[in-house]
Amino acid sequence: MSSDSGRSTRREALGLGLVAATAIAATSCSAGKLVEVEEVPLHQLQRQMQERSISSRALTEAYLERIDRIDSQLHAVIEVNPDAASVAAELDRLLDQGRSKGPLHGLPILIKDNIDTGDRMMTTAGSLALEGPPASTDSGVVKRLRDAGAVILGKTNLSEWANIRSSRSTSGWSGRGGLTRNPYAFDRNCSGSSSGSGAAASASLCAAAIGTETDGSIVSPSSLNGLVGIKPTVGLLSGKGIVPISHTQDTAGPMARTVRDAAILLRAIQEPRDGSPTDYLRYLDDQGLRGARIGVARQFCGTASDIGKIIDNAISVMKHLGADVVDDVKLETVPQYGDAEFQVMLYELKADLNSYLSSRQGLRVKTLADVIDFNTRNAVREMPFFGQETFLKAQEKGDLKSKEYLDALEKCRKLSREDGIDAVLGKYKLDAIFSITDGPAWLTDLINGDHTTIGCSTPAAVAGYPHVTVPGGFVYSLPVGVSFFSTAWSEARLIRYAYSFEQATSIRRKPGYMPAVKMS
């Protein structure tokens, strides 16, 4: 398990330690006793659980066996829940009594290691500085998961501190968890910061996973790992008990292999605004794009011919499904608020992280300044590849009453919302905006950092608006996602469009677990 090799050395981080793809792809029923889990959708497991054709204990043990067998190659899981099997057994006992806790009853879910659990697992955001006593209570999202009957199977690796420590970090690397590898090609990156959640869900190490996003950290790893990812409107889910970056942009969200599975998970973890949860399953219509007016934002797609083909094919699919497609709409304000977004993050990182750390009992660090000092004193383990220049910049900032912060926040909101997404929706009379989520996975480069090139996460992230990514195509053997995003609280609409697209295309295919990209 990844937790056994969390304190990776440079050699461990760089070494591939590859195994044959046939061994990784083997069934979890090797001993003839465990439940088959590879590529089995959450909604199918949900039905089998309700029909009592599988037990939660057997399902949980199957995932634990799969993690034990293949995660030494992926480093997707930073820690497994030592109580997972006993929790599953108790959920089986409840079903024996005719009692179900909810729609996720008995289903094993992995969560990102920046989300608090009030159990025996640590919450570290991948940092050695936060190793120590577990959180005393569940985060809001985990409480919702448990209330719905989920088994919290373990925690996933991530880009340390959700990729905010340095401007030249390598996504998927953390001091505690080492380097997460892409299950489609081990030399490729998973993107971040929800790298482990992306790799784990894609490699069937769980029924589905939870990630978090500030700007791109759900949708980008979902795209690079062939998943559906939902970044909801900020405020739809509880932010309590999540190691923060920015309270104006941070949100958790589901990462799953199908739109239906992501919708099931989102329904379970939402915090209803009017007291009644939205049943997102009602919007799963294979004709859901009929009559929709979709604007294609090519400005985020780059110039590569392979990406152009994916976009052109997607447009043809949407038109065939009855959508009215407006090509090459432009969000003119996007280049105008990049620096303002960064300034907001710096101010909120300092304020929000100080508040979070002060609430955690028994940790060796209580402030951002403490974390900076810890990293400096433990640089060999914590900063072997990149530094903490973003942390240093944040530490220099004042409080949230500072004029610089308030001006930057106002600029972000106006340019991303009323003059941004909402203006484009109104100008072209659109229901949603469509684009490439991200480019194909880049080669992991611990020396130079990430090599991201294209992507459309920023407008919805800065606005705090919803964004759904769904598999859209492949560049050689690497998956590429496509995105639907729109105005606040439009999750149901976006899920309907993503589901319709998914059902018409069936693009996702399981990972190949190859040492490098297969070129044919």
Side-chain angles (χ1 to χ4, degrees):
M1 290 173 284
S2 297
S3 54
D4 294 336
S5 57
R7 297 179 179 83
S8 64
T9 63
R10 183 179 181 88
R11 180 177 181 182
E12 288 169 336
L14 289 168
L16 288 177
L18 304 177
V19 299
T22 52
I24 282 188
T27 175
S28 292
C29 297
S30 56
K33 297 178 181 179
L34 294 176
V35 175
E36 174 61 62
V37 295
E38 187 178 19
E39 290 295 304
V40 180
L42 179 149
H43 61 269
Q44 182 175 321
L45 297 172
Q46 181 187 50
R47 185 176 65 251
Q48 291 175 330
M49 193 74 61
Q50 292 167 348
E51 295 171 348
R52 306 305 311 279
S53 60
I54 59 172
S55 70
S56 179
R57 178 68 179 261
L59 182 61
T60 297
E61 289 178 345
Y63 281 120
L64 290 172
E65 186 273 343
R66 187 169 173 83
I67 291 169
D68 190 55
R69 180 161 47 82
I70 75 172
D71 194 57
S72 60
Q73 308 305 314
L74 298 176
H75 293 181
V77 181
I78 205 167
E79 182 174 3
V80 296
N81 184 355
D83 300 315
S86 61
V87 169
E90 174 60 19
L91 290 168
D92 286 332
R93 188 184 68 81
L94 289 177
L95 279 186
D96 288 340
Q97 297 172 353
R99 299 159 57 196
S100 174
K101 293 191 70 173
L104 300 178
H105 192 103
L107 300 180
I109 305 295
L110 284 170
I111 64 170
K112 190 174 176 179
D113 182 43
N114 61 348
I115 303 175
D116 286 350
T117 52
D119 52 24
R120 292 199 283 165
M121 291 187 289
M122 291 188 287
T123 303
T124 70
S127 172
L128 302 177
L130 296 191
E131 286 189 325
S136 58
T137 58
D138 284 341
S139 63
V141 167
V142 169
K143 183 180 185 303
R144 286 283 181 183
L145 286 169
R146 293 199 207 270
D147 288 348
V151 176
I152 308 302
L153 188 64
K155 297 204 174 178
T156 57
N157 197 19
L158 68 159
S159 311
E160 187 176 309
W161 293 106
N163 243 353
I164 196 63
R165 198 186 83 190
S166 171
S167 60
R168 52 169 299 277
S169 58
T170 296
S171 288
W173 184 89
S174 74
R176 183 179 174 220
L179 177 66
T180 301
R181 301 187 183 110
N182 193 305
Y184 285 88
F186 292 158
D187 63 342
R188 297 278 162 166
N189 204 269
C190 288
S191 189
S193 62
S194 303
S195 316
S197 294
S202 186
S204 301
L205 303 186
C206 54
I210 300 290
T212 67
E213 173 162 330
T214 306
D215 187 341
S217 292
I218 289 173
V219 296
S220 182
S222 293
S223 176
L224 270 63
N225 288 279
L227 298 174
V228 175
I230 302 178
K231 196 284 289 188
T233 304
V234 174
L236 181 67
L237 308 184
S238 170
K240 178 184 177 183
I242 298 176
V243 181
I245 293 176
S246 162
H247 62 264
T248 58
Q249 293 186 206
D250 291 349
T251 181
M255 301 171 70
R257 292 180 294 275
T258 72
V259 175
R260 182 179 293 275
D261 291 353
I264 291 170
L265 204 51
L266 184 63
R267 184 188 188 280
I269 61 179
Q270 67 183 294
E271 298 283 341
R273 289 185 295 151
D274 58 2
S276 59
T278 301
D279 182 4
Y280 296 107
L281 299 183
R282 292 177 47 223
Y283 298 90
L284 300 182
D285 179 1
D286 58 7
Q287 295 299 311
L289 275 162
R290 185 169 301 281
R293 189 166 168 87
I294 307 295
V296 178
R298 289 185 182 264
Q299 73 192 88
F300 305 110
C301 300
T303 58
S305 60
D306 288 329
I307 298 298
K309 290 176 183 176
I310 290 173
I311 282 288
D312 291 341
N313 178 69
I315 290 173
S316 297
V317 169
M318 290 190 289
K319 286 182 175 179
H320 178 73
L321 291 169
D324 184 6
V325 178
V326 182
D327 201 358
D328 206 17
V329 304
K330 288 184 172 60
L331 285 80
E332 303 284 0
T333 60
V334 172
Q336 301 173 31
Y337 54 79
D339 182 65
E341 179 192 16
F342 185 56
Q343 293 304 315
V344 168
M345 284 187 190
L346 292 177
Y347 275 96
E348 294 186 350
L349 171 63
K350 181 180 180 181
D352 297 353
L353 187 57
N354 284 345
S355 177
Y356 171 84
L357 292 174
S358 69
S359 71
R360 287 284 305 275
Q361 300 299 312
L363 294 181
R364 71 190 89 189
V365 293
K366 289 296 183 183
T367 65
L368 174 59
D370 292 343
V371 175
I372 291 170
D373 180 63
F374 177 91
N375 290 340
T376 301
R377 288 185 290 105
N378 295 274
V380 172
R381 295 189 298 159
E382 270 293 352
M383 299 192 292
F385 307 119
F386 52 87
Q388 57 179 344
E389 61 272 15
T390 305
F391 272 7
L392 293 169
K393 290 178 180 177
Q395 180 59 28
E396 294 172 358
K397 296 299 183 183
D399 61 28
L400 299 186
K401 296 179 182 178
S402 301
K403 185 177 187 301
E404 182 183 41
Y405 165 72
L406 294 173
D407 288 348
L409 181 60
E410 181 182 7
K411 182 176 184 178
C412 284
R413 286 176 170 170
K414 188 174 191 301
L415 293 178
S416 65
R417 294 176 181 178
E418 60 186 275
D419 293 348
I421 292 174
D422 293 330
V424 171
L425 294 174
K427 177 180 178 180
Y428 296 99
K429 298 180 173 57
L430 302 175
D431 296 301
I433 299 167
F434 179 89
S435 193
I436 286 286
T437 309
D438 214 330
W442 56 91
L443 283 167
T444 294
D445 184 350
L446 285 162
I447 297 172
N448 297 302
D450 288 341
H451 301 287
T452 54
T453 52
I454 59 175
C456 69
S457 68
T458 294
V462 177
Y465 287 177
H467 182 165
V468 178
T469 182
V470 63
F474 280 82
V475 174
Y476 294 101
S477 56
L478 298 174
V480 173
V482 292
S483 288
F484 296 89
F485 58 95
S486 191
T487 194
W489 316 113
S490 60
E491 285 84 358
R493 182 195 315 164
L494 301 179
I495 286 169
R496 183 169 70 234
Y497 302 155
Y499 181 79
S500 179
F501 182 87
E502 174 196 58
Q503 295 302 297
T505 56
S506 299
I507 286 169
R508 175 180 161 82
R509 57 178 181 256
K510 69 181 182 180
Y513 307 99
M514 301 300 293
V517 174
K518 186 177 181 180
M519 303 299 288
S520 60

